[in-house]
């Protein structure tokens, strides 16, 4: 297990290094710079800025300086938001995205599994068909459409909620719906199809024949195996949701991380581009890492294949 | 089970709705809070570093310069009076005795000297992008240039004592008193020396205007409350100014409808295009769309064949139906432009545009077609090559497509339209790597010069490669004399050379600043360039 974790960690660090290098050079290769505006600044001012940010130095030197700062965990100052450090900006906005994201994830998992389970238990009955209709719609309707519609009706027309912001608990309701409908639909479909497969498997039939109660079978035997694909979906989904959705955050005016993905690039805020990219990648890799561990814990077969594994198989 | 779940959800939703209805009431009435949208986080609230409208809108409440603007007039601000030398090059400002910082310290002439020199320091951290707004001051540009040999003591601003500030200028600048109300000329408190990050947080923020910074939730909201140390604090009725940062125009529209904000649209927000057209057609009483001193135009690459030919440029300019463009495409109440300097800019006694004829060319498709043929023949070409009109994201696409259609119909030419990412677009435009590109220019100060000196040969914003010795001479004449009549005449002639004789650029329309304001909000002033002053606003009971 330790060797497994160690290898994964080394992998993550190496990947981040490669990503940092690639992003750095790609970002510098696109035309434009942070100082360009509709109104050009005079050359004198421009040169002062270029010198201050070290853009007059050779590219490799700029890269080494950046890398050195990065190793010391210094992401630098934003070039657009004056006097604000990149780590402050990320920490602050991540707090918003994380809060909202966690709520959306919990809702997605609970509702998604519940809907999928019910659909599987009532296979080919009306309730199953309704659930799958909902799931299809959930996947088909883009969240900017859904977000706009629910905002218009529930905030503007009926005034149940504030239009924008994340100040009260009630402010979570609309963005959570907008964020979680797609994952709910996905999880519901995944759960339903694997559950259908599992429920017709031999060992379930054996358990039934032994006279074990159906609820016990469902929870102890079927659900455990039925959830494996869901777990592998939940990992990357978590990373995606907690790092903020550009669309949902924009519609509901949430000061999250999402907007910075595009904004930092269009402003050519180099330090922020790097910071956001690395942060997002780190979160994504960490989520995958957790997924691997969760997989190893739930599915004993995984452990058998790892040489350093073994030991106590859970359950 | 599904049914139960639905019930449960419905119950939760209903409960939350009731609770939130009790808790937050938008409330107009006695609540003296003015709320508006900034769309984005201000990049900075340090006067030295500002160069955008979002930041400057917040700054209007926080700071005050030597002068300030009231109902279109420049009036005394931190300076209660001033003396101007006969040659118009030396100003002595007398700072008012009761001028105070938000922390209670007196505002002195030394503060202004320190602030302006700080902005001009070439190694300020980071260097001030708008430092050139101070280049009117003697030796300012030289000091801002590293290794020029000019020392900080040689810059033409000096505090004679606590209350007298002496400013020497490079040239007589009749609009200098207008400039001193501009944000680059705002003072900063000396304590910023010890705390370079002072302007990023409310806790360390010191300002000298009618309001002070109560809170800054980054990327979310900003609150201003009145400063008890402001010398005219009795004039301030608002108890709070609340800024939100909502990117999506539809969300902004919903917030305006529900009363979560009192103002929507320009200068820092947006009304969705379809809604704006509808409001204009319905004559919505909450909507106004005053003209703003800004011009929307196309830059033409004067250095590229066949656009180097004046007849070709004229043909393109004359075959656009501007009335149809503003009424059917842009739909914000804009007016067609047949010159470059927009209405709202001062002339000698009246508006520049009232004193100087603004019809520098006519739309005439037949004449245009003839000119195009002649121009192409002069360049040794038989047909107009396919060329590209480029623009950045936004409504510019629809504008370009409409114009491409008009050119196709009137001149029989084929035009490609191309959306280009903002910074790439700017880079292409500056380096003359385009055929025709969208452009817009707004006033920095209230004088025709803010639109004209940019077209000097080799000027930093001369993105068309325009070179004209006569034009350069007239601009020089206008910027070295203090006689306003002579200046306006010279600028009028220069504009005629730029547009009527050369059609170096193609004017399209003059901007408006459409905005919605709730009927109970009174006393907000929008100035000639579309900036607003909410400092004297109040909410009617």
């Amino acid at each position: 297990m330790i060797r497994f974790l160690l290898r994964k960690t080394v992998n993550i660090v190496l990947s981040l290094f490669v990503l940092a290098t690639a992003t750095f050079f790609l970002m510098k290769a696109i035309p434009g710079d942070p100082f360009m505006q509709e109104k050009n600044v005079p050359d004198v001012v421009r040169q002062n800025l270029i010198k201050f940010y070290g853009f007059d130095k050779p590219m490799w030197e700029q890269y080494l300086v950046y890398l050195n700062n990065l190793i010391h965990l210094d992401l630098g100052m934003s070039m657009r938001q004056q006097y604000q450090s990149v780590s402050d900006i990320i920490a602050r906005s991540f707090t918003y995205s994380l809060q909202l994201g966690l709520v959306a994830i919990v809702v997605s998992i609970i509702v998604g599994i519940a809907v999928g389970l019910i659909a599987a238990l009532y296979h080919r009955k009306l309730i199953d068909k309704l659930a799958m209709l909902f799931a299809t719609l959930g996947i088909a309707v883009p969240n900017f459409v859904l977000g706009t519609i629910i905002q218009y009706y529930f905030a503007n027309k009926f005034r149940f909620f504030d239009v924008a912001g994340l100040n009260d608990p009630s402010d979570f309701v609309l963005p959570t719906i907008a964020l979680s409908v797609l994952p709910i639909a996905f999880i519901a479909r995944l759960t339903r199809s694997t559950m259908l497969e599992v429920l017709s498997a031999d060992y379930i039939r054996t358990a039934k024949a032994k006279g074990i109660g159906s609820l016990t079978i469902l929870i102890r035997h079927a659900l455990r195996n039925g959830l494996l694909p869901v777990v592998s979906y939940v990992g990357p989904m978590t990373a995606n949701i907690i790092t903020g959705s550009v669309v949902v955050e924009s519609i509901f005016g949430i000061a999250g991380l999402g907007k910075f993905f595009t904004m930092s690039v269009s402003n050519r805020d180099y330090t922020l581009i790097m910071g956001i990219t690395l942060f997002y990648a780190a979160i994504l890799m960490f989520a995958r890492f957790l997924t691997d561990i969760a997989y190893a814990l739930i599915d004993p077969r995984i452990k058998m294949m790892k040489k350093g594994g073994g030991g106590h198989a859970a359950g | 089970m599904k049914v139960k779940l639905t019930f449960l959800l419905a119950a939760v939703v209903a409960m939350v709705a009731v609770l939130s209805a009790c808790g937050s009431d938008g409330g107009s009435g006695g609540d003296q809070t003015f709320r508006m949208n900034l769309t984005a986080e201000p990049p900075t609230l340090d006067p030295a570093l500002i160069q955008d409208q979002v930041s400057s809108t917040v700054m209007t409440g926080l700071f005050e310069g030597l002068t300030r603007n009231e109902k279109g007039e420049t009036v005394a601000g931190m300076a209660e009076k001033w003396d101007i030398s006969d040659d118009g090059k030396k100003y002595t400002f007398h700072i008012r005795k009761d001028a105070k910082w938000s922390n209670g310290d007196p505002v002195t002439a030394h503060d202004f000297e320190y602030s302006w020199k700080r902005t001009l320091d070439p190694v300020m951290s980071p260097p001030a992008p708008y430092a050139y707004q101070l280049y009117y001051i003697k030796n300012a540009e030289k000091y801002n240039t590293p290794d020029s040999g000019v020392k900080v003591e040689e810059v033409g601003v000096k505090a004679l004592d606590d209350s007298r500030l002496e400013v020497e200028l490079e040239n007589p600048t009749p609009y200098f008193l207008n400039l001193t109300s501009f944000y680059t000329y705002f003072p900063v408190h000396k304590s910023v020396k010890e705390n370079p990050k002072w302007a990023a947080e409310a806790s360390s923020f010191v300002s000298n205007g009618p309001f002070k910074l109560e809170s800054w939730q980054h990327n979310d909201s900003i609150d201003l409350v009145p400063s008890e140390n402001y010398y005219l604090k009795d004039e301030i009725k608002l108890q709070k100014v609340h800024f939100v940062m909502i990117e999506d125009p539809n969300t902004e529209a919903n917030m305006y409808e529900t009363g979560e904000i009192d103002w929507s649209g320009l200068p820092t927000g947006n009304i969705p295009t379809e809604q704006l057209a509808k409001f204009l057609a319905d004559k919505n009483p909450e909507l106004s769309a005053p003209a703003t001193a800004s011009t929307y135009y196309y830059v033409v690459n004067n250095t590229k064949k066949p656009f180097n030919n004046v007849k070709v440029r004229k043909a393109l300019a004359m075959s656009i139906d501007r009335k149809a463009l503003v009424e059917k495409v842009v739909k914000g109440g804009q007016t067609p432009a047949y010159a470059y300097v927009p209405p709202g800019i001062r002339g000698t006694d009246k508006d520049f545009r009232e004193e100087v004829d603004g019809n520098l060319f006519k739309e005439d498709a037949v004449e245009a077609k003839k000119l195009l043929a002649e121009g192409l023949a002069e360049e040794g070409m038989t047909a107009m090559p396919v060329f590209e009109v480029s623009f950045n994201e936004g409504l510019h696409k629809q504008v370009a497509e409409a114009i491409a259609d008009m050119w196709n119909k009137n001149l029989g030419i084929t035009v490609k339209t191309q959306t280009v990412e903002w910074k790439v677009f700017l880079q292409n435009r500056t380096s003359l790597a385009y055929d025709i590109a969208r452009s817009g220019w707004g006033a920095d100060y209230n004088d025709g010069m803010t639109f004209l000196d940019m077209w000097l040969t080799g000027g930093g914003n001369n993105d068309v490669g325009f070179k004209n010795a006569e034009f350069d001479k007239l601009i020089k004449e206008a910027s070295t004399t203090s006689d306003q009549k002579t200046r306006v005449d010279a600028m009028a002639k220069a504009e005629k050379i730029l547009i009527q004789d050369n059609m170096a650029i193609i004017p399209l329309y003059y901007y408006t600043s459409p905005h919605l304001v709730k009927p109970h909000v009174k006393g907000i002033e929008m100035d000639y360039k579309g900036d607003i002053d909410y400092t004297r606003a109040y909410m009617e009971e």
Side-chain angles (χ1 to χ4, degrees):
Chain A
M1 193 70 177
I2 289 172
R3 265 181 65 184
F4 167 76
L5 293 179
L6 212 62
R7 210 184 53 210
K8 288 271 171 195
T9 313
V10 171
N11 258 339
I12 289 180
V13 173
L14 274 180
S15 312
L16 284 177
F17 167 74
V18 172
L19 182 78
T21 310
T23 311
F24 187 89
F25 288 103
L26 281 174
M27 162 185 97
K28 292 279 185 173
I30 11 173
D33 62 48
F35 327 122
M36 281 191 161
Q37 307 284 339
E38 176 90 55
K39 298 186 177 185
N40 293 324
V41 299
D43 217 37
V44 171
V45 173
R46 199 180 156 72
Q47 290 312 319
N48 289 341
L49 286 161
I50 285 177
K51 208 168 143 198
F52 176 79
Y53 287 107
F55 295 168
D56 51 343
K57 300 206 173 73
M59 197 64 82
W60 61 268
E61 202 180 323
Q62 294 182 41
Y63 170 68
L64 288 183
V65 168
Y66 185 83
L67 217 55
N68 184 43
N69 291 339
L70 188 63
I71 290 166
H72 296 93
L73 296 179
D74 175 9
L75 292 173
M77 301 295 284
S78 163
M79 296 179 183
R80 164 104 180 155
Q81 305 300 138
Q82 301 299 341
Y83 308 134
Q84 296 187 30
S85 75
V86 169
S87 36
D88 278 353
I89 292 178
I90 293 179
R92 224 167 24 221
S93 3
F94 184 56
T95 318
Y96 287 98
S97 298
L98 184 68
Q99 282 177 25
L100 179 61
L102 286 179
V103 174
I105 288 163
V106 171
V107 170
S108 304
I109 294 176
I110 294 176
V111 179
I113 292 179
V115 171
L117 209 57
I118 291 165
L121 289 177
Y122 296 91
H123 187 42
R124 292 199 182 136
K125 301 224 172 68
L126 180 67
I127 219 169
D128 176 30
K129 285 179 182 150
L130 282 179
M132 285 308 101
L133 177 72
F134 164 77
T136 311
L137 280 178
I139 290 172
V141 178
N143 57 5
F144 70 90
V145 174
L146 181 72
T148 310
I149 291 174
I150 58 178
Q151 181 183 58
Y152 181 72
Y153 283 101
F154 296 107
N156 186 346
K157 280 213 115 153
F158 305 137
R159 312 271 161 110
F160 290 160
F161 306 100
D162 281 349
V163 174
L166 210 54
N167 308 311
D168 293 320
S170 69
D171 292 338
F172 279 82
V173 177
L174 296 181
T176 301
I177 295 174
L179 270 180
S180 48
V181 162
L182 177 77
I184 286 175
F186 230 96
I187 293 174
R189 289 174 72 104
L190 270 176
T191 311
R192 176 178 174 272
S193 60
T194 45
M195 283 309 287
L196 285 177
E197 206 178 299
V198 169
L199 285 175
S200 60
D202 288 343
Y203 69 92
I204 298 291
R205 233 176 293 162
T206 315
K208 271 188 190 158
K210 280 184 174 171
I212 301 174
S214 56
L215 199 64
T216 319
I217 295 180
L218 191 68
I219 290 170
R220 289 200 53 167
H221 301 276
L223 206 52
R224 251 187 88 142
N225 285 320
L227 283 188
L228 282 175
V230 175
V231 170
S232 61
Y233 170 73
V234 164
M237 173 198 89
T238 304
N240 251 316
I241 291 185
I242 61 173
T243 44
S245 150
V246 182
V247 174
V248 172
E249 287 182 359
S250 162
I251 293 175
F252 293 100
I254 293 159
L257 207 51
K259 71 166 101 170
F260 292 108
F261 288 117
T262 47
M263 219 171 74
S264 61
V265 179
S266 55
N267 288 332
R268 300 291 189 277
D269 190 342
Y270 294 134
T271 38
L272 190 57
I273 297 177
M274 290 299 293
I276 293 274
T277 310
L278 291 174
F279 180 74
Y280 181 65
I283 293 272
L284 190 68
M285 289 174 194
F286 187 63
R288 280 188 190 274
F289 178 67
L290 289 184
T291 311
D292 286 342
I293 296 176
Y295 235 83
L297 290 179
I298 301 179
D299 189 352
R301 282 173 302 185
I302 303 269
K303 231 169 260 176
M304 302 304 273
M305 287 185 284
K306 310 264 181 243
K307 280 194 177 142
H312 47 283
Chain B
M1 178 165 172
K2 181 106 196 298
V3 179
K4 265 190 199 158
L5 200 74
T6 318
F7 265 118
L8 196 71
L9 265 175
V12 170
V13 167
M15 210 168 74
V16 169
V18 170
L19 284 176
S20 59
C22 298
S24 68
D25 181 16
S28 39
D31 182 12
Q32 292 292 329
T33 302
F34 172 63
R35 294 152 306 168
M36 69 180 283
N37 183 23
L38 294 175
T39 302
E41 161 103 336
T44 179
L45 293 179
D46 183 336
L49 298 178
I50 292 192
Q51 49 174 339
D52 69 290
Q53 204 155 24
V54 167
S55 305
S56 75
T57 300
V58 181
M59 296 299 273
T60 302
L62 290 172
F63 285 87
E64 185 172 291
L66 292 168
T67 54
R68 63 184 182 89
N69 295 304
E70 198 176 86
K71 300 191 171 68
E73 296 298 316
T74 303
V75 300
M78 286 289 118
E80 56 184 348
K81 55 180 183 172
W82 45 83
D83 317 310
I84 307 171
S85 68
D86 290 338
D87 64 356
K89 285 165 78 164
K90 193 187 267 183
Y91 285 67
T92 311
F93 292 94
H94 301 263
I95 312 289
R96 63 176 71 247
K97 295 271 180 304
D98 51 355
K100 285 203 181 93
W101 291 99
S102 54
N103 65 3
D105 292 351
V107 177
T108 68
H110 296 281
D111 291 328
F112 281 92
E113 181 187 344
Y114 166 71
S115 309
W116 295 1
K117 286 179 172 171
R118 168 177 179 263
T119 304
L120 287 167
D121 186 351
V123 291
M124 185 193 163
S125 157
Y130 250 32
Y132 64 92
Q133 299 289 353
L134 299 174
Y135 285 1
Y136 303 92
I137 300 166
K138 196 177 164 198
N139 283 330
E141 180 170 8
K142 286 185 196 128
Y143 171 58
N144 194 223
T145 313
D147 312 320
S148 65
V150 168
K151 289 196 221 43
V152 64
E153 307 82 60
E154 294 170 66
V155 177
V157 51
K158 193 172 181 346
L160 302 175
D161 50 43
D162 275 357
S163 67
R164 284 184 305 152
L165 182 75
E166 188 180 88
V167 184
E168 275 186 89
L169 304 180
E170 288 280 351
N171 292 304
T173 311
Y175 48 91
F176 187 68
L177 287 173
N178 181 238
L179 285 171
T180 51
S181 67
F182 188 67
Y183 50 76
T184 315
Y185 287 80
F186 288 161
V188 294
H189 189 265
K190 273 186 183 135
S191 66
V192 312
K193 249 185 283 191
E194 285 90 55
N195 181 11
K197 288 167 117 183
W198 69 284
E201 305 300 334
S203 55
S204 52
F205 203 88
V206 188
S207 60
N208 73 329
F211 292 86
K212 56 183 183 180
L213 188 60
E214 190 194 42
S215 79
W216 186 356
Q217 301 288 333
H218 290 284
N219 284 300
D220 187 54
S221 62
I222 287 179
D223 284 338
L224 310 185
V225 293
S227 164
E228 62 277 19
N229 291 308
Y230 184 56
Y231 67 100
L232 288 175
K233 63 168 181 257
D234 294 342
E235 284 187 5
I236 310 304
K237 304 281 188 300
L238 288 180
Q239 275 149 17
K240 186 177 269 191
V241 183
H242 179 66
F243 296 105
V244 293
M245 303 166 196
I246 301 294
E247 259 181 291
D248 189 330
N250 290 308
T251 306
E252 182 182 326
N254 282 330
M255 289 180 82
Y256 181 78
E257 269 186 55
T258 60
E260 284 170 62
I261 49 176
D262 306 301
W263 179 289
S264 169
L266 289 176
T268 58
N270 275 298
I271 303 171
T273 318
E274 325 77 58
Q275 284 200 19
L276 175 58
K278 191 175 171 298
F279 290 156
L280 277 171
D282 298 353
K283 299 209 166 28
N284 185 324
E286 294 175 18
L287 178 84
S288 40
T292 306
S294 306
T295 308
Y296 189 101
Y297 59 102
Y298 273 0
V299 286
V300 186
N301 188 344
N302 285 220
T303 64
K304 188 172 175 181
K305 221 172 156 181
F307 306 109
N308 56 339
N309 189 290
V310 62
K311 288 180 178 164
V312 172
R313 297 197 296 266
K314 281 185 178 172
L316 293 170
M318 290 165 66
S319 51
I320 296 167
D321 182 351
R322 289 165 179 75
K323 194 163 175 287
L325 191 70
V326 294
E327 284 174 6
K328 303 226 170 71
V329 185
V330 200
K331 296 188 277 199
Q334 294 83 354
T335 48
Y338 302 96
Y340 184 52
V341 178
I345 293 292
R346 264 181 224 142
T348 313
D349 306 306
K350 292 181 286 181
D351 202 290
F352 181 91
R353 218 53 290 171
E354 285 173 51
E355 292 172 353
V356 180
D357 181 28
N359 290 302
L360 297 181
F361 63 97
K362 278 200 177 65
E363 288 166 8
D364 183 341
V366 180
E367 176 70 12
K369 199 159 183 178
K370 212 179 95 206
L371 280 172
L372 181 70
E374 286 173 21
L376 288 174
E378 284 172 20
E379 297 306 314
M381 298 167 99
T382 49
M384 188 72 178
V386 175
F387 64 93
E388 197 174 272
V389 174
S390 51
F391 40 85
N392 52 307
E393 294 90 344
L395 194 64
H396 311 304
K397 184 178 162 67
Q398 283 89 311
V399 172
E401 281 167 355
I403 290 176
D405 269 356
M406 293 171 189
W407 281 338
N408 183 272
K409 202 178 99 225
N410 295 333
L411 302 174
I413 58 180
T414 313
V415 184
K416 281 196 295 183
T417 55
Q418 172 84 22
T419 310
V420 184
E421 192 267 345
W422 179 233
K423 297 269 179 171
V424 178
F425 174 76
L426 292 177
Q427 172 103 40
N428 289 348
R429 214 171 61 183
T430 324
S431 51
L432 283 164
Y434 69 93
D435 299 328
I436 290 182
R438 171 257 131 197
S439 203
W441 193 266
D444 279 325
Y445 48 90
N446 200 344
D447 190 87
M449 199 54 90
T450 188
F451 285 87
L452 293 169
D453 66 356
M454 60 191 282
W455 303 110
L456 284 168
T457 304
N461 279 298
N462 183 345
D463 289 341
V464 299
F466 177 68
K467 286 188 190 120
N468 189 298
E470 179 65 17
F471 179 91
D472 293 358
K473 211 181 109 221
L474 287 162
I475 295 299
K476 181 129 197 279
E477 189 188 323
S479 45
T480 46
T481 172
S482 55
D483 180 57
Q484 188 63 2
K485 180 82 179 60
T486 317
R487 296 184 68 250
V488 170
D489 283 349
M491 289 191 281
K493 277 185 206 154
E495 190 192 25
K496 220 168 154 188
I497 293 175
L498 181 77
I499 306 293
Q500 185 167 334
D501 301 349
N502 285 287
M503 202 67 78
I505 53 171
I506 302 178
L508 293 171
Y509 60 80
Y510 302 123
Y511 281 90
T512 49
S513 286
H515 59 267
L516 292 157
V517 55
K518 293 282 183 194
H520 61 266
V521 180
K522 304 287 175 197
I524 297 191
E525 280 183 36
M526 182 173 262
D527 70 4
Y528 73 101
K529 58 176 171 170
D531 288 342
I532 58 166
D533 183 348
Y534 48 81
T535 57
R536 268 70 178 171
Y538 60 95
M539 304 288 151
E540 207 169 53
E541 307 270 320

